Amino acid sequence: MVYTRNRAKCSVFILIVLFLILLIENGVLCQSPVFACDIGKNPSLGSFGFCNSSLDIASRVSDLVQRLTLQEKIINLVDKAGAVSRLGIPSYEWWSEALHGVSYVGPGTKFSSVVPGATSFPQVILTAASFNASLFQAIGKVVSTEARAMYNVGLAGLTFWSPNVNIFRDPRWGRGQETPGEDPLLSSKYGAGYVRGLQETDNDPNRLKVAACCKHYTAYDVDNWKGIDRYHFNAVVNQQDLDDTYNVPFKSCVIDGNVASVMCSYNQVNGKPTCADPDLLSGVIRGEWKLNGYIVSDCDSVDVLYSSQHYTKTPEEAAAVSIKAGLDLDCGTFLSQHTEAAIKGGLVNVSDIDRAITNNFATLMRLGFFEGDPTKQPYGKLGPKDVCTPDHQELAREAARQGIVLLKNTAGSLPLSPTTIKSLAVIGPNANVTKTMIGNYEGTPCKYTTPLQGLTAVVPTLYSPGCANVACATAQVDDAKKIAAQADATILIVGIDLSIEAESLDRVDLLLPGQQTLLINEVVTASKGPVILVIMSGGGFDITFAKSNTKITSILWVGYPGEAGGAAIADVIFGYFNPSGRLPNTWYPQEFAEKVNMTNMNMRPDPATGYPGRTYRFYTGETIYEFGDGLSYSPFNHRLVKAPTLISVPLEEGHTCRSESCQSVQLVESHCQNLAFDIHLGVKNMGSMAGSHTVFLFSSPPNVHNSPKKHLLGFEKVHLTSQREELVKFRVDVCKDLSVVDEFGSRKVALGLHVLHVGDLKHPLSIMI
Ligand SMILES: *[C@@H]1O[C@H](CO)[C@@H](O)[C@H](O)[C@H]1NC(C)=O
Ligand SMILES: *[C@@H]1O[C@H](CO)[C@@H](O)[C@H](O)[C@H]1NC(C)=O
Ligand SMILES: *[C@@H]1O[C@H](CO)[C@@H](O)[C@H](O)[C@H]1NC(C)=O
Ligand SMILES: *[C@@H]1O[C@H](CO)[C@@H](O)[C@H](O)[C@H]1NC(C)=O
Ligand SMILES: *[C@@H]1O[C@H](CO)[C@@H](O)[C@H](O)[C@H]1NC(C)=O
């Protein structure tokens, strides 16, 4: 904040200076520097190695670190990093957010009359439902362009603490909306794709457009459920679940996405706060995955582990234990307050502080922070004209269209024909909402198109909210029934918003809140035409009543569809777009919320206690809708063209499994290299309407090591015109894709019969030694 304010002040001065043609150096007018290494304005900086861009980043950072006093080092351990004016380094605010568009959450970014809003994409859970990996990256690329444009005019930082890749393992979680859903592969593809979109520059792989951050590591996902909150929650997680579920997207962020940062969470994992666990931080993120970047704490996490969790006796111990565990940056002020005393007390060495700030400065260097005026650098030409462009806003609408999931469609219901439907009754608490559509970690959008506005643009509408808000203590059914009885079709737009599911707010049940169910049932009985139920939410519901009511002819789930959500809903309802979204999470019955503790982190069922397990990979109970469910206006057919039935894995001489029988083998990397094969599928659009279709390749492994009943190996979205068939190819890597994680967290190839499935096709594949 200080940084941007000073820069604005300077700009005013610069204008005055130019206007009066006074050749006064800007440094004279501004106390604190505006840009680091602004050699043009301050030639004396040119002699510093850290300002010399022909040196490599490691040399520049080590030059900088050895010039700093201890106090100057310590002020660079926190998000509001202090200026080092004597070296020409301004202050920097690390905390900006860009979950689904540049956000005002976090002090590093703000909107002003210069940039009043940014493109607000659908909340992540809906974008994930598109199952379109190129879309994930395309959105990230637009967001980073808008972020850079805002940075150039002093309105944003360069370090964005997005995406959230926690596994959405319980439908009640208030932050599930921020995530790409319950599946480790989808979450990995989303995380890596979005990160690449944010970070990648055109040429230099070590340069960053902006820096992304995958959070919250790890096994988070309880916010506040029945009095148990994230600041006190100890997630008891076994090694198998950690390695085959919770950590998978983080690993992909680091290894496949090359993310510049990982954020540790508030909760404890097995009795240790994640931000103070050397195995999780130095061991896994930096050691095994080789993070090139910085590890940041969730905001005030270090304070929380001391003040709320009482994990250490003194604040100095908390500072020392987290830095030594591998934490580089504290969101908060705790480390700026307690690190010096921790060093004086011998609890942590200066070399540990040097490691932390080295990671932080290296990230800023990759971002060009030490290259002087950003407007003279790559991306320097981006400015307010590059935010909310028509193309960017069209992509927000396109993303919502691609994500919307058609869950039920009785023959002849959708799409509605704008020529035969002369009037629509639009009813429900979310029918004309604006802010609800963008969910949390939002920014100010360019503009909104509400569902009512989107539908009214196509046909004349009658509108009655029926419920004043989603909690809806008393539904006003009379007016709603009246318009439903008059109109040719009825669209009911219901669901929830941040008053029901949010950060620090988990749900306790899976039913539509308030009197929404009553409203729906009353409207349905009164309606003249077909009733289309549209559900706006992050998590799923038990809507058995609507599924089985034949007068409700269609059901759509639209997530929180972003700024253009209403236009996208209309596009789907009137058939201007053939729906192709698929559920990224299981919809459970209400009974699940009554029986299962949200705090139980186990993925696998436990027959002894009746615990049903979690997500499509393990859950054994009834569902309302399943992971991957979703209809189109066209049926699509799959045909197996090519797939092996037998794979032999090589083993070295003397491997124990050559003489004994083994259920699974751990393969060394060299043996994995040639163990990949192709699956070719013919996919045909059997309908009369062009559309996209996601091909899901699942595998059911043999039942060893409590393996998942099925898991997703790959997905590929194809666009097909009517009656067209295309070949879809999957490359399957046996070690990576067909392995399971054993009880100790080791990846092993299960021997025996794997059944591959695509739609209704099943294909047996034996893996033998
Ligand atoms: C910058 O580093 C290069 C490479 O070591 C060196 O040749 C050059 O003299 C340095 N520039 C300055 C101004 O010190
Ligand atoms: C500080 O560094 C020394 C030398 O490497 C080491 O022996 C000592 O354990 C370290 N102290 C702390 C508190 O980490
Ligand atoms: C719908 O919402 C928009 C945006 O808030 C508002 O301008 C409009 O008046 C609302 N329409 C009705 C009929 O209430
Ligand atoms: C749920 O948690 C509560 C409180 O920790 C505990 O008493 C109860 O036995 C748990 N129920 C189940 C089904 O695990
Ligand atoms: C995936 O998204 C991109 C970007 O919007 C779009 O161009 C492409 O057509 C989509 N792919 C499919 C198969 O729908």
Side-chain angles (χ1 to χ4, degrees):
M1 294 289 272
V2 174
Y3 165 53
T4 56
R5 212 182 303 128
N6 280 340
R7 191 194 309 179
K9 211 185 286 173
C10 282
S11 311
V12 172
F13 276 122
I14 293 163
L15 284 177
I16 293 167
V17 167
L18 289 176
F19 187 69
L20 299 173
I21 322 171
L22 279 175
L23 297 169
I24 302 169
E25 258 193 29
N26 291 307
V28 177
L29 294 169
C30 300
Q31 295 300 314
S32 161
V34 181
F35 311 119
C37 299
D38 204 355
I39 296 168
K41 299 227 173 72
N42 189 349
S44 66
L45 299 174
S47 62
F48 293 139
F50 70 84
C51 289
N52 184 343
S53 46
S54 52
L55 295 174
D56 60 66
I57 284 175
S59 317
R60 294 176 69 186
V61 174
S62 83
D63 175 79
L64 172 56
V65 170
Q66 55 92 23
R67 289 175 195 275
L68 299 176
T69 65
L70 181 59
Q71 282 70 28
E72 287 167 344
K73 290 176 179 177
I74 288 172
I75 58 175
N76 280 289
L77 288 171
V78 292
D79 69 291
K80 199 183 231 352
V84 185
S85 299
R86 69 180 183 92
L87 298 177
I89 301 171
S91 59
Y92 177 72
E93 174 53 68
W94 285 81
W95 181 7
S96 288
E97 304 272 354
L99 183 68
H100 51 106
V102 180
S103 165
Y104 47 58
V105 176
T109 297
K110 58 181 182 290
F111 293 96
S112 75
S113 56
V114 177
V115 180
T119 308
S120 194
F121 289 91
Q123 183 58 292
V124 175
I125 190 75
L126 189 73
T127 295
S130 75
F131 283 90
N132 180 347
S134 62
L135 178 66
F136 307 156
Q137 187 158 348
I139 293 175
K141 195 168 175 185
V142 165
V143 173
S144 57
T145 294
E146 296 198 347
R148 266 285 171 177
M150 290 178 70
Y151 172 72
N152 288 343
V153 292
L155 292 173
L158 291 167
T159 44
F160 291 84
W161 294 345
S162 309
N164 178 344
V165 295
N166 289 120
I167 293 290
F168 190 4
R169 59 162 192 119
D170 189 298
R172 293 165 286 187
W173 187 31
R175 300 188 74 175
Q177 59 178 295
E178 297 173 34
T179 76
E182 72 181 25
D183 179 61
L185 179 83
L186 174 61
S187 299
S188 297
K189 297 259 188 229
Y190 178 84
Y194 190 66
V195 164
R196 282 198 296 264
L198 286 181
Q199 293 193 162
E200 269 180 13
T201 62
D202 295 333
N203 33 48
D204 187 343
N206 200 34
R207 288 279 161 159
L208 296 165
K209 189 175 173 194
V210 302
C213 171
C214 290
K215 66 189 185 184
H216 316 77
Y217 179 77
T218 187
Y220 177 39
D221 42 322
V222 169
D223 258 66
N224 191 348
W225 177 77
K226 298 190 176 171
I228 297 162
D229 72 34
R230 56 186 179 169
Y231 308 116
H232 299 87
F233 178 51
N234 175 24
V236 177
V237 188
N238 62 55
Q239 196 63 43
Q240 189 173 28
D241 287 342
L242 201 59
D243 285 323
D244 85 352
T245 300
Y246 295 111
N247 279 357
V248 175
F250 290 97
K251 182 176 181 180
S252 176
C253 269
V254 175
I255 293 176
D256 306 323
N258 197 14
V259 75
S261 175
V262 173
M263 178 184 284
C264 48
S265 54
Y266 290 114
N267 58 289
Q268 300 189 346
V269 171
N270 301 327
K272 277 190 192 166
T274 58
C275 292
D277 187 332
D279 296 329
L280 286 177
L281 305 190
S282 307
V284 176
I285 302 179
R286 207 166 285 283
E288 284 176 34
W289 301 342
K290 313 247 178 299
L291 171 73
N292 176 18
Y294 68 102
I295 299 177
V296 60
S297 72
D298 204 338
C299 295
D300 295 323
S301 228
V302 187
D303 191 0
V304 162
L305 72 91
Y306 165 68
S307 313
S308 308
Q309 299 177 3
H310 311 294
Y311 183 69
T312 62
K313 287 206 177 56
T314 67
E316 294 76 23
E317 282 166 16
V321 76
S322 53
I323 295 170
K324 286 202 301 188
L327 187 72
D328 301 312
L329 190 78
D330 169 27
C331 175
T333 56
F334 197 85
L335 288 188
S336 59
Q337 290 165 13
H338 301 293
T339 302
E340 190 171 349
I343 292 169
K344 297 234 163 81
L347 299 172
V348 60
N349 284 324
V350 175
S351 60
D352 297 308
I353 313 301
D354 288 351
R355 179 223 71 223
I357 60 171
T358 295
N359 290 329
N360 299 341
F361 285 129
T363 306
L364 288 180
M365 250 170 226
R366 294 169 68 199
L367 286 159
F369 186 79
F370 287 89
E371 315 293 319
D373 185 347
T375 63
K376 304 213 167 75
Q377 295 174 36
Y379 305 109
K381 299 236 164 359
L382 295 174
K385 67 175 189 328
D386 300 294
V387 184
C388 288
T389 64
D391 281 359
H392 294 181
Q393 295 200 59
E394 180 55 28
L395 188 63
R397 180 171 176 168
E398 170 67 14
R401 284 193 289 241
Q402 286 196 33
I404 289 172
V405 182
L406 178 63
L407 289 168
K408 174 180 178 180
N409 199 22
T410 311
S413 173
L414 288 182
L416 298 181
S417 155
T419 51
T420 54
I421 301 291
K422 301 276 182 243
S423 64
L424 268 188
V426 182
I427 297 166
N430 282 342
N432 196 35
V433 287
T434 51
K435 206 155 183 284
T436 298
M437 291 196 298
I438 60 176
N440 68 355
Y441 282 81
E442 75 286 10
T444 306
C446 315
K447 64 165 198 197
Y448 287 109
T449 304
T450 72
L452 180 62
Q453 289 166 340
L455 294 165
T456 307
V458 186
V459 294
T461 53
L462 300 160
Y463 167 63
S464 169
C467 277
N469 54 51
V470 292
C472 189
T474 323
Q476 263 84 50
V477 295
D478 292 345
D479 206 31
K481 284 166 77 171
K482 202 157 81 197
I483 64 167
Q486 264 174 282
D488 291 340
T490 296
I491 316 280
L492 270 160
I493 305 176
V494 302
I496 48 178
D497 61 20
L498 298 182
S499 69
I500 307 287
E501 59 174 358
E503 186 162 13
S504 297
L505 181 62
D506 297 322
R507 286 189 288 167
V508 287
D509 66 44
L510 300 177
L511 302 173
L512 286 169
Q515 292 199 331
Q516 290 193 54
T517 303
L518 173 87
L519 173 70
I520 295 166
N521 284 330
E522 291 280 317
V523 166
V524 165
T525 51
S527 68
K528 180 173 90 177
V531 178
I532 319 302
L533 183 66
V534 177
I535 296 168
M536 200 179 279
S537 71
F541 292 96
D542 183 341
I543 45 160
T544 308
F545 77 97
K547 220 181 143 177
S548 58
N549 188 327
T550 51
K551 281 202 78 182
I552 298 177
T553 50
S554 300
I555 302 176
L556 290 162
W557 172 73
V558 300
Y560 294 119
E563 62 167 59
I569 290 169
D571 290 339
V572 169
I573 286 179
F574 288 102
Y576 301 123
F577 187 86
N578 194 347
S580 59
R582 297 290 180 263
L583 282 187
N585 47 354
T586 305
W587 285 32
Y588 300 87
Q590 167 64 8
E591 190 193 21
F592 181 91
E594 286 157 11
K595 284 202 176 148
V596 175
N597 274 352
M598 209 183 150
T599 47
N600 188 331
M601 298 299 286
N602 291 326
M603 295 302 297
R604 288 156 169 85
D606 183 354
T609 61
Y611 178 70
R614 294 177 179 278
T615 79
Y616 81 91
R617 290 159 63 230
F618 300 104
Y619 174 67
T620 50
E622 294 288 314
T623 58
I624 305 301
Y625 287 108
E626 293 189 18
F627 174 85
D629 273 357
L631 304 165
S632 285
Y633 297 147
S634 311
F636 290 85
N637 247 4
H638 304 113
R639 181 168 66 85
L640 191 67
V641 174
K642 177 182 161 186
T645 51
L646 176 70
I647 300 284
S648 306
V649 299
L651 291 180
E652 64 266 33
E653 288 295 326
H655 192 290
T656 51
C657 295
R658 286 191 151 210
S659 46
E660 297 162 27
S661 82
C662 289
Q663 291 190 305
S664 66
V665 286
Q666 189 159 12
L667 291 182
V668 290
E669 210 143 297
S670 58
H671 283 166
C672 286
Q673 267 153 22
N674 299 320
L675 274 184
F677 60 87
D678 291 316
I679 294 187
H680 293 181
L681 293 151
V683 182
K684 186 169 180 184
N685 181 349
M686 308 298 286
S688 56
M689 198 184 227
S692 291
H693 174 68
T694 296
V695 184
F696 290 101
L697 176 61
F698 288 103
S699 159
S700 292
N703 186 17
V704 299
H705 304 304
N706 251 319
S707 56
K709 47 181 185 156
K710 69 171 185 176
H711 65 123
L712 188 61
L713 303 191
F715 58 86
E716 199 59 54
K717 196 167 196 177
V718 278
H719 186 83
L720 295 171
T721 52
S722 167
Q723 300 300 316
R724 187 174 163 79
E725 181 177 60
E726 259 182 42
L727 206 59
V728 172
K729 299 176 186 175
F730 289 95
R731 182 92 183 140
V732 180
D733 175 324
V734 172
C735 293
K736 216 172 136 209
D737 304 322
L738 289 181
S739 56
V740 296
V741 172
D742 76 5
E743 294 77 356
F744 309 101
S746 301
R747 249 184 201 282
K748 290 183 166 168
V749 174
L751 300 174
L753 184 65
H754 295 243
V755 179
L756 302 176
H757 355 184
V758 176
D760 297 330
L761 285 182
K762 288 200 190 326
H763 176 75
L765 173 72
S766 294
I767 302 190
M768 324 261 278
I769 48 177

